[in-house]
Amino acid sequence: MRGRARREAEAEEFLRRVSPRLFRTALLLCGDHHLAEDLVQTALGKLYVSWARVSRADHPEAYARAVLTRTYLSHVRLRRTRERPVAELPERAAPAEEPALRLALAQALARLTPKERAVVVLRYWEDRDVEETAKELRISAGNVRVRSLRALAKLRTALADEREALSER
């Protein structure tokens, strides 16, 4: 029983340590605070159940990030939460402490496809190289490069539009 208790304690400590970073990654991937929490909880559950495999991995944090990313992409494929059009949008005030650029970037990220967003977050936010990103997303390195170029072009266009709108105010 001692060995089991030790393994459980190791798993709990690891999950506690990586969960804040996983949450930040999930928030960037999906753009929704509540969904990010759900994705992280699901990923943490998967990691806990397969702790023997996680603990033997060369890079357990990369393993955890890959589980989170795949959980997000699965969620998107299943489309559990679909946006529904409404006649009038509810008024939403942006928090005063949020800089306009951060909001613009979040909105621009939301316009990307889920795979493009995953590539951008892993490559530029998580600072992963092309090969690591390809491995985590289970796509080719060339596909990562193409998606990166396209996504960055979309982000530049969206942020340029936002800069113009801000300067007109």
Side-chain angles (χ1 to χ4, degrees):
M1 196 66 167
R2 276 187 166 192
R4 181 179 179 185
R6 184 177 44 78
R7 284 190 305 274
E8 285 180 3
E10 288 173 359
E12 289 174 12
E13 189 275 325
F14 172 78
L15 297 175
R16 238 184 256 108
R17 186 169 40 87
V18 299
S19 60
R21 186 168 182 126
L22 290 177
F23 176 75
R24 286 188 299 271
T25 300
L27 188 57
L28 287 167
L29 286 170
C30 68
D32 179 297
H33 186 83
H34 299 290
L35 178 56
E37 288 176 344
D38 291 345
L39 292 171
V40 170
Q41 287 303 313
T42 301
L44 292 176
K46 290 177 182 180
L47 292 165
Y48 185 81
V49 168
S50 61
W51 176 246
R53 208 170 332 148
V54 175
S55 64
R56 288 190 311 263
D58 290 337
H59 303 288
E61 288 190 32
Y63 189 100
R65 200 174 37 259
V67 168
L68 173 69
T69 305
R70 290 186 199 122
T71 301
Y72 161 71
L73 292 172
S74 272
H75 172 80
V76 171
R77 273 191 299 274
L78 294 175
R79 297 194 187 275
R80 290 184 189 152
T81 57
R82 292 191 88 160
E83 291 182 16
R84 291 176 183 83
V86 294
E88 290 184 41
L89 293 176
E91 286 190 33
R92 293 189 326 176
E97 69 274 4
E98 291 280 334
L101 182 58
R102 180 178 233 168
L103 291 173
L105 182 58
Q107 291 169 347
L109 276 172
R111 291 185 201 131
L112 299 176
T113 67
K115 282 262 181 158
E116 288 173 338
R117 199 170 341 165
V119 167
V120 168
V121 169
L122 291 174
R123 286 278 291 126
Y124 303 105
W125 182 264
E126 292 289 331
D127 201 26
R128 303 287 159 226
D129 63 27
V130 171
E131 288 75 25
E132 287 176 312
T133 303
K135 186 177 178 181
E136 286 188 33
L137 295 177
R138 295 181 179 168
I139 59 178
S140 70
N143 199 333
V144 169
R145 288 183 190 97
V146 168
R147 286 182 190 270
S148 294
L149 289 173
R150 289 180 184 162
L152 289 176
K154 287 180 183 179
L155 288 174
R156 284 185 192 105
T157 302
L159 292 174
D161 294 345
E162 183 64 27
R163 190 176 335 159
E164 286 178 24
L166 287 173
S167 65
E168 291 174 2
R169 290 182 188 169

